[in-house]
Amino acid sequence: LDAAAFPGRRFDVLTLVDVLEHVPDPERFLGDVRERLAPGGRMLAVLPDVSSLAARILRARWPYYGGEHLFHWSPRPLRRFLESRGWVVDAIHTGIRQTFTTRYLTRYATRLDEWLPPGLGWLPDWTLRIATGEMCVLAGPVDPVDPVDPVDPGADVRRDER
């Protein structure tokens, strides 16, 4: 979120695909995201869901348990984390599916010397939609309270005086 790349620009939507689990200080990072959002803007993040069926079945073999992931999130703790830091969570969707070909999966597993489901390499080059154990969250910063008194718009009421 380097401001030098787009000086003075704010965005309606920032997408964070496989980012939040990698940053060493998520709270600070989300502060930077907030600064780059236009009023009413939203963050759309895709990240691994440690409580997913894929994570529970594959256990230590789940690819998202790699050492490069500094944080492991599930929907409830992620919601609490965001809400306690001034974000409104519009939605969290789990069970995100990705599309792979059998050829890609075979090559990927072989290259990493990973477990390969029996018979996968014998299948034709099919396209598979696989629930990989990711979730998608849509959230935005809590809008600041308008310091104008809704009963008397002419009154100059500060937030701390209400």
Side-chain angles (χ1 to χ4, degrees), residues 23-35:
V23 296
D25 187 347
E27 187 168 2
R28 182 175 173 201
F29 180 79
L30 288 171
D32 293 342
V33 169
R34 181 189 310 265
E35 291 299 315

Side-chain angles (χ1 to χ4, degrees), residues 1-160:
L1 293 175
D2 185 4
F6 299 98
R9 297 271 322 263
R10 299 181 95 188
F11 301 91
D12 294 326
V13 177
L14 286 175
T15 56
L16 309 172
V17 178
D18 296 327
V19 173
L20 198 53
E21 67 274 17
H22 294 275
V23 296
D25 187 347
E27 187 168 2
R28 182 175 173 201
F29 180 79
L30 288 171
D32 293 342
V33 169
R34 181 189 310 265
E35 291 299 315
R36 302 297 295 178
L37 285 173
R42 290 290 180 262
M43 164 190 73
L44 178 69
V46 177
L47 61 159
D49 173 7
V50 74
S51 68
S52 69
L53 180 61
R56 292 188 311 241
I57 290 173
L58 294 174
R59 298 183 182 173
R61 291 185 181 275
W62 190 49
Y64 297 115
Y65 279 138
E68 71 276 6
H69 291 164
L70 304 176
F71 292 90
H72 295 104
W73 303 92
S74 61
R76 274 193 212 142
L78 178 61
R79 178 183 293 276
R80 282 194 304 266
F81 178 82
L82 291 169
E83 289 176 346
S84 70
R85 283 150 181 88
W87 290 80
V88 174
V89 177
D90 300 316
I92 295 179
H93 295 282
T94 59
I96 304 298
R97 294 182 179 271
Q98 293 189 29
T99 303
F100 300 100
T101 64
T102 52
R103 177 181 295 157
Y104 170 83
L105 292 173
T106 302
R107 288 180 179 170
Y108 181 78
T110 303
R111 184 172 297 141
L112 296 178
D113 196 28
E114 287 290 328
W115 172 79
L116 186 64
L120 184 63
W122 301 330
L123 293 175
D125 196 22
W126 289 348
T127 299
L128 306 172
R129 298 219 356 106
I130 299 171
T132 58
E134 291 184 292
M135 62 181 155
C136 180
V137 60
L138 179 65
V142 172
D143 289 331
V145 177
D146 187 352
V148 176
D149 186 338
V151 177
D152 181 6
D156 184 21
V157 178
R158 305 272 182 238
R159 270 188 266 167
D160 55 303

